[in-house]
CSV table of all heavy atoms in Angstrom, one decimal:
chain,number,residue,atom,x,y,z
A,123,VAL,N,25.2,-2.7,1.8
A,123,VAL,CA,25.5,-3.4,3.1
A,123,VAL,C,24.3,-3.0,4.0
A,123,VAL,O,24.0,-1.9,4.2
A,123,VAL,CB,26.8,-2.9,3.7
A,123,VAL,CG1,27.0,-3.6,5.1
A,123,VAL,CG2,27.9,-3.2,2.8
A,124,THR,N,23.6,-4.1,4.5
A,124,THR,CA,22.5,-3.8,5.4
A,124,THR,C,22.7,-4.6,6.8
A,124,THR,O,23.5,-5.5,6.7
A,124,THR,CB,21.2,-4.4,4.8
A,124,THR,OG1,21.2,-5.8,4.6
A,124,THR,CG2,20.8,-3.7,3.5
A,125,THR,N,22.0,-4.1,7.8
A,125,THR,CA,22.2,-4.6,9.1
A,125,THR,C,20.8,-4.9,9.7
A,125,THR,O,20.6,-4.9,10.9
A,125,THR,CB,22.9,-3.6,10.0
A,125,THR,OG1,22.2,-2.4,10.1
A,125,THR,CG2,24.3,-3.4,9.6
A,126,SER,N,19.9,-5.3,8.8
A,126,SER,CA,18.6,-5.6,9.2
A,126,SER,C,18.5,-6.9,10.1
A,126,SER,O,19.1,-7.9,9.8
A,126,SER,CB,17.6,-5.8,8.0
A,126,SER,OG,16.3,-6.1,8.4
A,127,GLU,N,17.7,-6.8,11.2
A,127,GLU,CA,17.6,-7.9,12.1
A,127,GLU,C,16.1,-7.9,12.6
A,127,GLU,O,15.6,-6.8,13.0
A,127,GLU,CB,18.6,-7.7,13.2
A,127,GLU,CG,18.4,-8.8,14.3
A,127,GLU,CD,19.3,-8.6,15.6
A,127,GLU,OE1,20.0,-7.5,15.5
A,127,GLU,OE2,19.2,-9.4,16.5
A,128,VAL,N,15.5,-9.0,12.7
A,128,VAL,CA,14.2,-9.2,13.2
A,128,VAL,C,14.2,-9.7,14.6
A,128,VAL,O,14.9,-10.7,14.9
A,128,VAL,CB,13.2,-10.1,12.4
A,128,VAL,CG1,12.0,-10.3,13.0
A,128,VAL,CG2,13.0,-9.4,11.0
A,129,ARG,N,13.6,-9.0,15.6
A,129,ARG,CA,13.6,-9.5,16.9
A,129,ARG,C,12.2,-9.7,17.4
A,129,ARG,O,11.3,-8.8,17.1
A,129,ARG,CB,14.3,-8.5,17.9
A,129,ARG,CG,15.8,-8.3,17.6
A,129,ARG,CD,16.5,-7.4,18.6
A,129,ARG,NE,17.9,-7.2,18.2
A,129,ARG,CZ,18.7,-6.5,19.0
A,129,ARG,NH1,18.3,-5.9,20.0
A,129,ARG,NH2,20.0,-6.2,18.6
A,130,ARG,N,12.0,-10.7,18.2
A,130,ARG,CA,10.6,-11.0,18.6
A,130,ARG,C,10.4,-10.5,20.1
A,130,ARG,O,11.3,-10.8,21.0
A,130,ARG,CB,10.4,-12.6,18.5
A,130,ARG,CG,8.9,-12.9,18.9
A,130,ARG,CD,8.6,-14.3,18.5
A,130,ARG,NE,7.2,-14.7,18.9
A,130,ARG,CZ,6.2,-14.4,18.1
A,130,ARG,NH1,6.3,-13.7,16.9
A,130,ARG,NH2,5.0,-14.8,18.5
A,131,ASP,N,9.3,-9.9,20.4
A,131,ASP,CA,9.0,-9.4,21.7
A,131,ASP,C,8.3,-10.5,22.5
A,131,ASP,O,7.2,-10.9,22.2
A,131,ASP,CB,8.1,-8.2,21.7
A,131,ASP,CG,7.8,-7.6,23.0
A,131,ASP,OD1,7.6,-8.3,24.0
A,131,ASP,OD2,7.7,-6.3,23.0
A,136,ASP,N,5.0,-10.1,19.3
A,136,ASP,CA,5.1,-9.6,17.9
A,136,ASP,C,6.6,-9.4,17.6
A,136,ASP,O,7.5,-9.7,18.4
A,136,ASP,CB,4.3,-8.4,17.7
A,136,ASP,CG,4.8,-7.3,18.7
A,136,ASP,OD1,5.8,-7.4,19.4
A,136,ASP,OD2,4.1,-6.1,18.7
A,137,SER,N,6.9,-9.0,16.4
A,137,SER,CA,8.3,-8.8,16.0
A,137,SER,C,8.5,-7.4,15.5
A,137,SER,O,7.6,-6.7,15.0
A,137,SER,CB,8.6,-9.8,14.8
A,137,SER,OG,8.4,-11.1,15.2
A,138,ILE,N,9.8,-7.0,15.7
A,138,ILE,CA,10.2,-5.7,15.2
A,138,ILE,C,11.5,-5.8,14.4
A,138,ILE,O,12.2,-6.7,14.6
A,138,ILE,CB,10.4,-4.6,16.4
A,138,ILE,CG1,11.6,-5.1,17.3
A,138,ILE,CG2,9.1,-4.5,17.2
A,138,ILE,CD1,12.8,-4.3,17.2
A,139,ALA,N,11.7,-4.9,13.5
A,139,ALA,CA,12.9,-4.9,12.7
A,139,ALA,C,13.9,-3.8,13.2
A,139,ALA,O,13.5,-2.7,13.4
A,139,ALA,CB,12.6,-4.7,11.2
A,140,VAL,N,15.1,-4.2,13.4
A,140,VAL,CA,16.2,-3.3,13.8
A,140,VAL,C,17.0,-3.0,12.5
A,140,VAL,O,17.6,-4.0,11.9
A,140,VAL,CB,17.1,-3.9,14.9
A,140,VAL,CG1,18.2,-2.9,15.3
A,140,VAL,CG2,16.2,-4.1,16.1
A,141,ALA,N,17.0,-1.8,12.1
A,141,ALA,CA,17.8,-1.5,10.8
A,141,ALA,C,18.5,-0.2,11.0
A,141,ALA,O,18.1,0.8,10.4
A,141,ALA,CB,16.7,-1.4,9.7
A,142,SER,N,19.7,-0.3,11.6
A,142,SER,CA,20.4,0.9,11.9
A,142,SER,C,21.0,1.7,10.6
A,142,SER,O,21.3,2.8,10.7
A,142,SER,CB,21.6,0.6,12.9
A,142,SER,OG,22.5,-0.4,12.3
A,143,HIS,N,21.2,0.9,9.5
A,143,HIS,CA,21.8,1.5,8.3
A,143,HIS,C,20.8,2.5,7.7
A,143,HIS,O,21.2,3.3,6.9
A,143,HIS,CB,22.1,0.4,7.3
A,143,HIS,CG,20.9,-0.4,6.9
A,143,HIS,ND1,20.3,-1.4,7.6
A,143,HIS,CD2,20.0,-0.2,5.8
A,143,HIS,CE1,19.3,-1.9,7.0
A,143,HIS,NE2,19.0,-1.2,6.0
A,144,ARG,N,19.5,2.5,8.1
A,144,ARG,CA,18.6,3.4,7.5
A,144,ARG,C,18.8,4.9,8.0
A,144,ARG,O,18.2,5.8,7.5
A,144,ARG,CB,17.2,3.0,7.9
A,144,ARG,CG,16.7,1.8,7.1
A,144,ARG,CD,15.3,1.3,7.5
A,144,ARG,NE,14.3,2.2,7.6
A,144,ARG,CZ,13.7,2.7,6.5
A,144,ARG,NH1,14.0,2.2,5.3
A,144,ARG,NH2,12.7,3.6,6.6
A,184,PRO,N,16.9,-0.7,3.1
A,184,PRO,CA,15.7,-1.6,3.5
A,184,PRO,C,15.5,-1.8,4.9
A,184,PRO,O,16.5,-1.9,5.7
A,184,PRO,CB,16.0,-2.8,2.7
A,184,PRO,CG,17.5,-3.0,2.8
A,184,PRO,CD,18.0,-1.6,2.6
A,185,SER,N,14.3,-1.9,5.4
A,185,SER,CA,14.0,-2.3,6.7
A,185,SER,C,14.2,-3.8,7.0
A,185,SER,O,14.5,-4.2,8.1
A,185,SER,CB,12.5,-1.8,7.2
A,185,SER,OG,12.4,-0.5,7.1
A,186,LEU,N,14.0,-4.5,5.9
A,186,LEU,CA,14.0,-6.0,5.9
A,186,LEU,C,14.9,-6.4,4.7
A,186,LEU,O,14.8,-5.9,3.6
A,186,LEU,CB,12.7,-6.6,5.7
A,186,LEU,CG,11.6,-6.2,6.7
A,186,LEU,CD1,10.2,-6.6,6.1
A,186,LEU,CD2,11.9,-6.7,8.0
A,187,ALA,N,15.8,-7.3,5.0
A,187,ALA,CA,16.7,-7.8,3.9
A,187,ALA,C,17.3,-9.2,4.2
A,187,ALA,O,17.3,-9.5,5.4
A,187,ALA,CB,17.9,-6.8,3.7
A,188,GLY,N,17.6,-9.9,3.2
A,188,GLY,CA,18.1,-11.3,3.3
A,188,GLY,C,17.1,-12.2,3.9
A,188,GLY,O,16.0,-12.3,3.5
A,189,ASP,N,17.6,-12.8,5.0
A,189,ASP,CA,16.7,-13.9,5.6
A,189,ASP,C,15.6,-13.1,6.4
A,189,ASP,O,14.7,-13.8,6.9
A,189,ASP,CB,17.6,-14.6,6.6
A,189,ASP,CG,18.6,-15.5,6.0
A,189,ASP,OD1,18.3,-15.9,4.8
A,189,ASP,OD2,19.6,-16.0,6.6
A,190,SER,N,15.7,-11.8,6.6
A,190,SER,CA,14.8,-11.0,7.2
A,190,SER,C,13.6,-10.5,6.3
A,190,SER,O,12.9,-9.6,6.7
A,190,SER,CB,15.3,-9.9,8.0
A,190,SER,OG,16.1,-10.5,9.1
A,191,GLY,N,13.7,-10.9,5.0
A,191,GLY,CA,12.6,-10.4,4.1
A,191,GLY,C,13.3,-9.5,3.0
A,191,GLY,O,14.4,-9.6,2.7
A,192,ARG,N,12.4,-8.7,2.5
A,192,ARG,CA,12.9,-7.8,1.4
A,192,ARG,C,12.0,-6.6,1.3
A,192,ARG,O,10.8,-6.6,1.7
A,192,ARG,CB,12.8,-8.6,0.1
A,192,ARG,CG,13.1,-7.7,-1.2
A,192,ARG,CD,13.5,-8.7,-2.4
A,192,ARG,NE,13.4,-8.0,-3.6
A,192,ARG,CZ,14.1,-8.4,-4.7
A,192,ARG,NH1,15.1,-9.3,-4.6
A,192,ARG,NH2,13.9,-7.8,-5.9
A,193,CYS,N,12.6,-5.4,1.0
A,193,CYS,CA,11.8,-4.1,0.8
A,193,CYS,C,12.0,-3.6,-0.6
A,193,CYS,O,13.3,-3.5,-1.1
A,193,CYS,CB,12.2,-3.1,1.8
A,193,CYS,SG,11.8,-3.5,3.4
A,261,TYR,N,7.5,-9.6,4.4
A,261,TYR,CA,7.9,-10.0,5.8
A,261,TYR,C,8.2,-11.5,5.9
A,261,TYR,O,7.6,-12.4,5.3
A,261,TYR,CB,6.7,-9.7,6.7
A,261,TYR,CG,6.3,-8.2,6.8
A,261,TYR,CD1,5.2,-7.8,6.1
A,261,TYR,CD2,7.1,-7.4,7.6
A,261,TYR,CE1,4.8,-6.4,6.2
A,261,TYR,CE2,6.6,-6.0,7.7
A,261,TYR,CZ,5.5,-5.5,7.1
A,261,TYR,OH,5.2,-4.3,7.1
A,262,PRO,N,9.1,-11.8,6.9
A,262,PRO,CA,9.3,-13.3,7.1
A,262,PRO,C,8.4,-13.9,8.2
A,262,PRO,O,8.7,-14.9,8.7
A,262,PRO,CB,10.8,-13.2,7.7
A,262,PRO,CG,10.9,-11.9,8.4
A,262,PRO,CD,10.0,-10.9,7.6
A,263,PHE,N,7.3,-13.2,8.5
A,263,PHE,CA,6.4,-13.6,9.5
A,263,PHE,C,5.0,-13.0,9.1
A,263,PHE,O,4.8,-12.2,8.2
A,263,PHE,CB,6.7,-13.2,10.8
A,263,PHE,CG,7.1,-11.7,11.0
A,263,PHE,CD1,6.2,-10.7,11.1
A,263,PHE,CD2,8.4,-11.2,11.0
A,263,PHE,CE1,6.3,-9.4,11.1
A,263,PHE,CE2,8.7,-9.9,11.0
A,263,PHE,CZ,7.7,-8.9,11.1
Side-chain angles (χ1 to χ4, degrees):
V123 177
T124 62
T125 56
S126 179
E127 176 189 359
V128 172
R129 297 184 180 182
R130 186 168 181 81
D131 186 319
D136 59 7
S137 299
I138 64 105
V140 180
S142 60
H143 62 277
R144 285 175 53 79
S185 302
L186 306 165
D189 292 339
S190 298
R192 175 159 158 152
C193 293
Y261 297 101
F263 49 80

